[in-house]
Amino acid sequence: MGNVKELIDSGRAVLGIEFGSTRIKAVLIDEDHKPVASGSHEWENRLENGIWTYTLEDIWGGLRNCYSDMAADVKAKYDTEIRSLKAIGFSAMMHGYLAFDKEDNLLVPFRTWRNGITGEAAAALTELFNYNIPQRWSISHLYQAVLNKEEHVKDVAFFTTLAGFIHWKLTGQKVLGVGDASGMFPIAPDTKDYDAAMLEKFNGLDAVKGFSWKLTDILPKVLQAGEDAGTLTEEGAKLLDESGVLQAGCPICPPEGDAGTGMVATNSVAQRTGNVSAGTSIFGMIVLEDNLKDVYEEIDMVTTPDGSPVAMVHANNCTSDLNAWVGIFKECLESFGMKVDGNELYGTLYRKAMEGDPDCGGILSYGYLSGENITRVEEGRPMVVRTPKSNFSLANFMRSHLLTALGALKVGMDILLKKENVKIDTIFGHGGLFKTEGVGQNLLASSIGASVSVMETAGEGGPWGMALLAAYAVEKAEGESLQDYLNNRVFAGSNCITVEPDEKDAAGIEVFIERYKQGIPIEQAAGQYLK
């Protein structure tokens, strides 16, 4: 405790703050990159006039409350206050649209990544660039506003993401880390900057020729991890710490998106590595050796925080329906007067699944609480389907729900592995699906044909990953890459469990996934007829 107090008093602690969809979290780390204090603030987006948004008051009030909560944790644990910091980093959910005029006024309410209102623009830009441009990307929001002939578009002088906005107001610098920037507009792998040819194509569109601005003038400057992104200003210090104790002047690293901080937190920024985050939703990211040969709606292209191309498969549904079924079993047991610990119940049911047939005995399930873009399902309807010949057992029932939690992800990953022949050395798994040893991790390894590792630090999450990026910016040696820094200074000697694919499981999963794909019309029909 005394060592940490001295570290904080001497201004050598590093702070990472991440704005998630439902929580803002701060993590303070020491010189061994270990968390020593944390704070959080719960928040929720709101639907206003058909737009999912957070107000400026939500953003700044949430940031101050989160920082204050972390400062209170420091006071309680170490009986001291944070007067200065070695470095700070800010990250947030990617994409979305925050547009400002030349007087720095917000032109329209913040449009978050959650809004599915840019279909026309996203389709047109995907065709124009021959590059997948999802609806949630910032350029889709801007172009849709152009196509809608929205009055504010002529006045746009700058637009950015949430992390870029926070960074700008605390430093005065209109910059963005390359990973977050790759969710605004495509990045060229050779320059690690916005793709020049695509910028030219956009500026040449008839619909945008009449504006006084060019796209290059209104996008934030792209920075790689470790580059100078400015320092905390006096005004910024007041925005962050309303108590006035925190002093200005500390470096703030390039702001990043939550995808990038997840890569850093799982040490998966090297080529042929990746990570899978499995919770309410599931996404997998693979760092590529080369660009993909074709364009796929199922695959987003982003980058690591140091600019390497990354293929991302994002599915909306993962464990929600699985959790609901565990809840049913808990209710059943309680009806018989039995009290069962939640972790024990999950562990028992998950392990039971490993006793089932490799292909789930003919049982088919879909854990779709919402629609799923990868499988072209507009509305989710959770369901279990079987034939009279299916081997309907508890083990197969649970196994089918675990495999369907990976189902949409596997459909997308198969494009990378089978069509594009992407090579993977190892995947790092994190999230609730991997908590029970020997289950989710093993099924994922057999599903994708690659080793899967789960590290003891995986639970630290995005704010910790952002703190690591801030530490890298001020601690890196000349020429030291982000990958080397993480390998040698952060994760050296860290404990992890690694499993390899099982041939029998892999063969059964292939049978299951073919059944899963063939049954999609059943799921689509349920959405049509079950209202």
Side-chain angles (χ1 to χ4, degrees):
M1 291 292 185
N3 289 340
V4 175
K5 182 179 186 302
E6 192 274 329
L7 174 99
I8 294 170
D9 288 342
S10 60
R12 304 196 322 272
V14 174
L15 176 63
I17 297 180
E18 182 159 285
F19 286 70
S21 297
T22 59
R23 186 168 67 150
I24 306 169
K25 186 174 180 182
V27 171
L28 193 71
I29 64 172
D30 63 15
E31 292 175 311
D32 293 323
H33 308 103
K34 306 296 185 186
V36 295
S38 64
S40 65
H41 170 78
E42 304 293 327
W43 72 338
E44 187 58 70
N45 55 185
R46 60 187 75 189
L47 187 63
E48 294 185 349
N49 300 316
I51 300 293
W52 288 106
T53 188
Y54 302 87
T55 66
L56 293 181
E57 291 76 17
D58 293 334
I59 294 169
W60 295 119
L63 176 62
R64 285 191 291 269
N65 287 345
C66 177
Y67 182 88
S68 175
D69 192 47
M70 183 273 300
D73 191 35
V74 167
K75 181 67 174 177
K77 287 178 177 175
Y78 313 111
D79 192 27
T80 192
E81 295 179 306
I82 302 172
R83 294 173 179 81
S84 62
L85 289 161
K86 188 175 184 179
I88 307 176
F90 294 97
S91 56
M93 54 192 126
M94 294 174 66
H95 319 299
Y97 183 70
L98 280 154
F100 303 87
D101 64 18
K102 61 183 179 180
E103 279 83 35
D104 298 339
N105 299 306
L106 183 66
L107 290 168
V108 291
F110 174 29
R111 298 172 181 179
T112 77
W113 64 272
R114 188 177 181 183
N115 289 287
I117 56 175
T118 65
E120 181 186 3
L125 293 175
T126 295
E127 182 177 0
L128 178 68
F129 297 152
N130 191 33
Y131 189 101
N132 185 34
I133 306 294
Q135 286 201 49
R136 61 185 177 274
W137 280 31
S138 305
I139 191 61
S140 295
H141 283 277
L142 174 65
Y143 191 46
Q144 190 65 56
V146 171
L147 295 177
N148 292 345
K149 296 182 170 55
E150 295 186 35
E151 180 66 22
H152 82 272
V153 176
K154 69 180 189 312
D155 298 319
V156 175
F158 176 58
F159 76 120
T160 188
T161 65
L162 179 56
F165 170 62
I166 298 293
H167 184 94
W168 169 36
K169 290 302 181 181
L170 268 62
T171 66
Q173 302 297 309
K174 295 179 178 180
V175 301
L176 204 58
V178 63
D180 204 6
S182 70
M184 289 195 74
F185 192 87
I187 298 292
D190 52 345
T191 64
K192 299 186 179 182
D193 202 346
Y194 301 120
D195 188 289
M198 295 184 194
L199 285 171
E200 187 174 348
K201 285 182 178 180
F202 185 90
N203 286 330
L205 287 167
D206 290 339
V208 301
K209 283 181 178 177
F211 297 112
S212 60
W213 50 259
K214 298 291 185 185
L215 191 55
T216 43
D217 300 327
I218 63 175
L219 282 163
K221 179 182 178 182
V222 178
L223 297 177
Q224 294 179 48
E227 291 192 305
D228 181 8
T231 58
L232 182 66
T233 63
E234 295 285 351
E235 295 80 4
K238 293 174 184 176
L239 281 171
L240 182 59
D241 179 16
E242 58 186 342
S243 74
V245 175
L246 181 65
Q247 300 170 7
C250 75
I252 302 185
C253 72
E256 264 301 344
D258 50 0
T261 58
M263 295 180 218
V264 172
T266 53
N267 194 23
S268 50
V269 299
Q271 292 180 353
R272 296 172 63 120
T273 68
N275 72 89
V276 169
S277 175
T280 303
S281 63
I282 186 168
F283 62 86
M285 294 183 287
I286 311 298
V287 186
L288 304 175
E289 295 177 285
D290 301 297
N291 281 338
L292 300 181
K293 296 185 288 291
D294 291 316
V295 177
Y296 307 95
E297 290 184 13
E298 300 89 347
I299 312 294
D300 288 6
M301 291 300 300
V302 292
T303 79
T304 63
D306 54 354
S308 295
V310 174
M312 179 167 70
V313 179
H314 184 279
N316 295 332
N317 301 280
C318 186
T319 60
S320 293
D321 190 48
L322 176 58
N323 295 339
W325 278 109
V326 174
I328 287 290
F329 289 124
K330 183 175 186 291
E331 185 179 346
C332 177
L333 291 170
E334 289 175 346
S335 297
F336 286 93
M338 301 178 188
K339 297 295 182 183
V340 180
D341 175 75
N343 290 329
E344 182 182 359
L345 179 59
Y346 268 97
T348 300
L349 291 172
Y350 275 35
R351 286 187 290 271
K352 190 69 177 178
M354 302 308 286
E355 300 174 12
D357 299 320
D359 71 339
C360 306
I363 298 173
L364 176 61
S365 62
Y366 295 97
Y368 288 12
L369 264 72
S370 66
E372 195 61 74
N373 294 336
I374 290 177
T375 51
R376 310 292 192 272
V377 173
E378 292 186 5
E379 292 188 44
R381 297 292 185 271
M383 63 168 61
V384 180
V385 184
R386 61 190 174 100
T387 71
K389 296 180 180 179
S390 298
N391 182 8
F392 192 53
S393 66
L394 177 60
N396 283 333
F397 181 85
M398 288 305 303
R399 188 178 180 90
S400 75
H401 280 83
L402 283 163
L403 289 186
T404 198
L406 300 171
L409 176 78
K410 179 167 170 56
V411 171
M413 292 291 283
D414 280 351
I415 294 172
L416 296 176
L417 300 174
K418 297 177 180 179
K419 289 187 178 181
E420 290 284 341
N421 296 313
V422 169
K423 305 301 180 188
I424 305 174
D425 290 333
T426 192
I427 289 284
F428 295 93
H430 55 114
L433 190 68
F434 305 112
K435 286 184 177 180
T436 301
E437 187 175 337
V439 183
Q441 182 181 4
N442 297 54
L443 293 176
L444 177 61
S446 296
S447 177
I448 63 176
S451 64
V452 174
S453 298
V454 174
M455 294 186 289
E456 61 180 357
T457 55
E460 301 295 353
W464 182 61
M466 195 64 236
L468 296 180
L469 285 170
Y472 171 68
V474 295
E475 293 176 359
K476 69 182 188 304
E478 185 174 354
E480 185 178 22
S481 68
L482 178 60
Q483 178 186 338
D484 288 343
Y485 181 85
L486 294 175
N487 285 340
N488 301 328
R489 301 208 206 182
V490 179
F491 293 99
S494 62
N495 295 324
C496 71
I497 298 172
T498 301
V499 299
E500 301 295 333
D502 177 271
E503 288 186 12
K504 187 177 179 181
D505 276 345
I509 290 170
E510 290 301 322
V511 174
F512 175 85
I513 208 67
E514 283 305 311
R515 186 184 304 124
Y516 177 93
K517 290 188 287 189
Q518 290 171 7
I520 290 297
I522 306 172
E523 176 69 22
Q524 292 169 329
Q528 181 179 354
Y529 293 108
L530 182 60
K531 298 296 184 181

